[in-house]
Amino acid sequence: MGPLCEPGAKLLICDSKHVIRDRLWAGPHDRYHRPVRLAAVAATSERVRSTRSRNRKIEALTEALRALSPAESEAGVAFLAGEPRQPKLGIGYAALRDIAPAPAAESSLTVAGLDAAFQQIADASGPGSATRRRQILERILAAATASEQRLIRG
């Protein structure tokens, strides 16, 4: 094993042939990580649904899970499983059916953003909460592409 650099240094050398970068430069799960777009999760869901091959399903899910940062992983896994993290959203199937905005042309939703919006829906309570839930859901669906809308609607 080669010498290790001090914490906070740009590189950590593990031996003469391999270099491990520290957490500042570690790749997809560092502070420079771009949030995973919901479109990527929706595409994975569609790939899994469209194939009968167990190996292709595993490959698609593995690729999607590797792209998620640790902060996004719980929500991302929940969306891939078809269940939001929040146990009760207070939105029925009728509301999902009745809200039908045109799909967005480009993906702008992220896994973390959708999870935060679902948390707002779950936290809404008291007078006017049904209206607030519906408004948040309308904003989400209006910002979602067609494949993202299918994922959100289940």
Side-chain angles (χ1 to χ4, degrees):
M1 296 298 275
L4 295 177
C5 297
E6 292 295 316
K10 291 183 181 176
L11 298 175
L12 296 176
I13 301 170
C14 64
D15 64 32
S16 61
K17 294 181 182 179
H18 301 93
V19 175
I20 298 175
R21 295 175 178 214
D22 74 0
R23 72 180 95 142
L24 294 177
W25 303 87
H29 302 303
D30 63 16
R31 68 180 175 162
Y32 301 108
H33 173 71
R34 291 185 145 192
V36 172
R37 295 264 181 216
L38 188 62
V41 175
T44 299
S45 179
E46 289 178 2
R47 282 175 53 198
V48 168
R49 191 173 328 152
S50 69
T51 186
R52 292 177 53 177
S53 169
R54 183 174 168 205
N55 287 337
R56 289 216 168 93
K57 288 177 192 268
I58 291 169
E59 288 169 7
L61 290 169
T62 301
E63 182 181 313
L65 294 174
R66 283 186 179 151
L68 296 168
S69 72
E72 299 167 316
S73 62
E74 187 177 348
V77 168
F79 294 143
L80 285 168
E83 297 286 331
R85 280 184 332 104
Q86 298 74 12
K88 283 186 131 183
L89 290 176
I91 296 174
Y93 291 107
L96 283 171
R97 182 191 63 228
D98 294 344
I99 300 172
E106 288 187 28
S107 173
S108 64
L109 294 174
T110 62
V111 169
L114 181 61
D115 186 57
F118 278 173
Q119 191 60 53
Q120 288 177 345
I121 291 171
D123 291 344
S125 63
S129 61
T131 302
R132 278 196 304 277
R133 285 187 198 107
R134 186 175 179 91
Q135 289 170 342
I136 295 167
L137 182 60
E138 286 172 351
R139 282 197 319 265
I140 292 168
L141 291 174
T145 63
S147 63
E148 291 170 333
Q149 284 185 0
R150 282 191 295 275
L151 180 74
I152 292 167
R153 292 177 193 278

